[in-house]
Amino acid sequence: MSGSAHIVRALRRRDLMGVLANAMIGAGMLAAPSKVFVLAHGWSFAVLAAAALITTPLIFCFAELGSRFSNTGGPYLYARAALPGWIAFSVGWMLWISQALALATLSNLLVSYLAGFVPVLASGLPRAATIIGLGLAMTVIVLRGVRESAASSNALIVVKAVFVVGFVAAGVWFIQPERLAVVHPPPDPTTLARAVLIYLFAYSGFERAGVIAGEAKDPRRDVPMALLASVALVTVAYATVLLVCVGVLDDPTLTDRPLAEVGALLFGPVGQVAVSAGAIVVILGTIVSGVLVMPRILLGLSEQGQLPAFLARVHPRWRTPHIAILISSVAAFGAALMSDLLSSLTFSTAARIISYVLCCLALWRLSRRADAPPPEFPLPAPGLFAIAAGAIFVGVLAFAATAELPVLAGVLAVGLILYAISRRTAPSPDPRNSP
């Protein structure tokens, strides 16, 4: 069995919101307060505000793009509708690579928290066994069906919400206002851009709503609403967690696990254990979301003959793209075995931003075409939104990711070789999967 036409449309708007919130509330929320504070100190709140501000036009661009289409693919689908085939492939390929690296980041962060309970897991064979076991468990969950995966995602987002609300409610009473004062000069533009990049990683994942739109009941209406609601809620979560961490800790730069340190400072070892356990659940929820969405990118590329056709096969019983799921899991958890948290974080974010810029270009092209699919969520000036968002993120790459760009160019070259080979051997794309 092959093709997204055989996949069940089972996801409701709340399921989409759960997938997005799980994607965005994870490593970014847990690590960003200390990582950003190292770079920006008291300007950390300005960094978060800047990240939210520059992300806003991009979110609106994706809301309109998502309201134009109902098939699987997300950013790749948007680019394919408006840009040359090799550029559309580049969008999908870079997003798939970024998802693999994001899951590697999350897996390494999870192991570091687990090592707080069992120190032997921090390195060597125990670390490798933990990552492999995690990969196997997540893969089995996602193989068994999208509804089962969404149910796991929804259950975990409830736990995440309780964790965030409980952490903020307990910590807000211990905030010392003088610790929130800005006593350092503002960082230079390059340092500021790298700090913003960390929070952009925290926001990354919102594009997953479009990637799984082919399995949503009413994607053209639900994707935009799920995007806007999820990003608003996540911004509030980031801001309140940052407020507690900076307002309670003597020096947030001294730890990679600021939330656990807040728990230890306020409530001793019991608090540290409780917060660490909650953090583990937060990370697991984000991993479930990533393992669910990542194979759907390969599915979309394969359906258009841009990757081998076998990646589009759907399991006859579970109705999931089982081969794409297995390959994606091997790539993601294999990368986790061979990388560390910070390197995978920066490369993942830079790869995503390249795709975001190309999607902005796609919206600009679609807004100028009379034959483009009409939006259910029309922006008042989509071309202007697209130009503004694209220019902003080109600037972020220029300031914050120059070291990563040559490596990503090599990764993209490998993908384009696979694209060229697949185009020579693939049959014509299924017309049922056209935009």
Side-chain angles (χ1 to χ4, degrees):
M1 186 178 293
S2 175
S4 61
H6 300 284
I7 292 179
V8 178
R9 288 190 178 273
L11 299 181
R12 300 153 293 185
R13 183 177 298 181
R14 67 184 184 186
D15 295 324
L16 290 172
M17 289 182 62
V19 169
L20 294 186
N22 266 333
M24 289 183 282
I25 298 179
M29 184 187 73
L30 297 172
S34 60
K35 299 300 183 185
V36 171
F37 200 85
V38 168
L39 298 171
H41 296 284
W43 295 88
S44 295
F45 295 97
V47 169
L48 175 57
L53 183 63
I54 67 176
T55 302
T56 298
L58 184 67
I59 296 299
F60 277 102
C61 288
F62 270 76
E64 172 161 324
L65 284 167
S67 76
R68 289 175 180 265
F69 302 94
S70 59
N71 288 349
T72 296
Y76 164 72
L77 180 65
Y78 312 151
R80 179 166 58 84
L83 303 173
W86 69 272
I87 296 181
F89 170 82
S90 299
V91 170
W93 179 254
M94 296 307 287
L95 277 177
W96 187 75
I97 293 295
S98 74
Q99 296 272 15
L101 293 169
L103 285 172
T105 302
L106 291 163
S107 299
N108 280 306
L109 185 62
L110 179 66
V111 169
S112 72
Y113 270 93
L114 289 173
F117 296 103
V118 186
V120 72
L121 299 180
S123 61
L125 287 176
R127 172 183 175 272
T130 302
I131 292 174
I132 292 170
L134 172 67
L136 290 173
M138 295 295 103
T139 302
V140 168
I141 291 173
V142 174
L143 276 173
R144 293 193 52 88
V146 68
R147 285 294 301 134
E148 289 77 4
S149 303
S152 300
S153 176
N154 290 345
L156 287 167
I157 194 57
V158 171
V159 177
K160 283 188 180 187
V162 172
F163 171 74
V164 173
V165 172
F167 176 81
V168 172
V172 70
W173 303 103
F174 299 92
I175 291 174
Q176 298 185 34
E178 63 272 14
R179 289 180 174 161
L180 305 176
V182 179
V183 297
H184 293 81
D188 63 81
T190 300
T191 302
L192 178 63
R194 293 197 71 84
V196 169
L197 194 69
I198 294 173
Y199 267 120
L200 292 180
F201 175 83
Y203 277 109
S204 65
F206 65 83
E207 73 279 355
R208 294 179 183 179
V211 175
I212 58 172
E215 293 161 274
K217 290 184 176 180
D218 189 7
R220 295 181 65 191
R221 294 180 181 274
D222 291 346
V223 166
M225 294 300 102
L227 268 172
L228 297 174
S230 298
V231 170
L233 289 172
V234 166
T235 300
V236 172
Y238 291 161
T240 53
V241 167
L242 178 63
L243 180 68
V244 171
C245 289
V246 174
V248 171
L249 294 177
D250 291 327
D251 188 355
T253 67
L254 298 179
T255 178
D256 287 334
R257 297 182 290 177
L259 279 72
E261 290 302 316
V262 170
L265 184 64
L266 299 183
F267 304 109
V270 173
Q272 187 173 29
V273 168
V275 173
S276 296
I280 288 170
V281 174
V282 167
I283 299 167
L284 281 173
T286 314
I287 291 175
V288 168
S289 176
V291 177
L292 169 64
V293 171
M294 189 179 169
R296 273 67 183 179
I297 301 175
L298 292 186
L299 174 65
L301 293 171
S302 178
E303 286 182 332
Q304 294 305 308
Q306 296 184 336
L307 282 178
F310 65 82
L311 292 172
R313 293 176 186 167
V314 174
H315 194 277
R317 177 181 177 187
W318 296 326
R319 309 288 291 278
T320 54
H322 56 296
I323 297 177
I325 288 171
L326 293 173
I327 290 175
S328 296
S329 291
V330 169
F333 294 101
L337 291 171
M338 297 181 291
S339 67
D340 60 59
L341 189 151
L342 284 178
S343 63
S344 54
L345 184 154
T346 54
F347 276 101
S348 174
T349 308
R352 268 196 175 96
I353 289 176
I354 294 170
S355 296
Y356 294 162
V357 171
L358 294 175
C359 285
C360 292
L361 177 60
L363 177 58
W364 179 78
R365 291 284 300 274
L366 289 171
S367 70
R368 297 167 62 87
R369 280 176 38 188
D371 63 336
E376 290 283 341
F377 183 84
L379 294 175
L384 182 60
F385 270 92
I387 292 171
I392 288 169
F393 281 91
V394 167
V396 171
L397 282 176
F399 276 103
T402 51
E404 288 77 17
L405 291 179
V407 178
L408 291 175
V411 171
L412 178 57
V414 171
L416 290 173
I417 292 171
L418 293 175
Y419 165 80
I421 294 172
S422 299
R423 294 295 289 173
R424 286 181 176 274
T425 59
S428 298
D430 188 341
R432 292 174 299 178
N433 298 319
S434 59

